[in-house]
Amino acid sequence: MQSKAGKYAAAGFLAVVLLIVIFVFKSFMGDSPAEAATRDRLFMCAETEKSFRYKLEKGVTIPVPSPYSGKETGYPAELCYWTKDGQTKTDPTPVLLNSYKHVPGPTFCPDCGRLVVGHNPSPDPDSKPPPTREEYEARKAAQEQLRDQQE
Ligand SMILES: [Zn+2]
């Protein structure tokens, strides 16, 4: 065991073990949380309006295949963090935008009834709740009235 060859063999064996440990550890850890967040996104099936997680990989086009319809009807979900009474919540509601469903007009959250837009912002402590359908339509009517008066 005290021979030079024996020492080299032991060193080589240790290096191999170390490489295997690193490899196993890396594959066990998977992606970093930041990487996973950008790739594993929440989608909604336009046909069934159910949400599912889908890993966005390079070369993937939208719509993505939906596990509910079995067809390419998966669109990125917007997240609504509001409640009916204008409070924020930590467990957001996934919302499918009307534009993805080829429905005209703005999208309102099925849970709280508030306006949802593309890249819907998550609320800050001082942000105001988005308008409900009634508020939105009242505001639009007021704007139209103002425009009529100016003409
Ligand atoms: Zn909502």
Side-chain angles (χ1 to χ4, degrees), residues 110-133:
D111 176 56
C112 67
R114 294 179 181 278
L115 183 69
V116 177
V117 293
H119 303 287
N120 208 36
S122 49
D124 294 324
D126 55 319
S127 58
K128 275 190 192 150
T132 61
R133 186 185 289 273

Side-chain angles (χ1 to χ4, degrees), residues 14-141:
L14 270 180
V16 167
V17 167
L18 197 67
L19 278 177
I20 290 171
V21 167
I22 290 171
F23 180 77
V24 167
F25 186 71
K26 270 200 160 176
S27 60
F28 179 73
M29 293 298 284
D31 292 337
S32 72
E35 267 179 297
T38 54
R39 284 215 219 134
D40 195 11
R41 284 207 53 187
L42 196 61
F43 278 77
M44 280 196 86
C45 172
E47 220 158 273
T48 59
E49 305 224 355
K50 285 179 184 164
S51 60
F52 60 95
R53 293 217 157 260
Y54 191 83
K55 250 194 170 112
L56 259 192
E57 269 152 19
K58 265 191 184 155
V60 166
T61 52
I62 289 166
V64 302
S66 159
Y68 298 107
S69 69
K71 288 179 266 176
E72 293 191 336
T73 55
Y75 294 94
E78 292 299 336
L79 298 177
C80 175
Y81 292 88
W82 295 95
T83 64
K84 263 197 180 78
D85 54 359
Q87 302 297 307
T88 57
K89 59 181 180 181
T90 49
D91 177 32
T93 304
V95 182
L96 180 64
L97 291 181
N98 276 353
S99 54
Y100 289 135
K101 291 187 285 184
H102 304 291
V103 173
T107 309
F108 294 93
C109 170
D111 176 56
C112 67
R114 294 179 181 278
L115 183 69
V116 177
V117 293
H119 303 287
N120 208 36
S122 49
D124 294 324
D126 55 319
S127 58
K128 275 190 192 150
T132 61
R133 186 185 289 273
E134 292 76 34
E135 287 166 353
Y136 182 86
E137 269 157 19
R139 202 181 291 177
K140 213 175 123 194

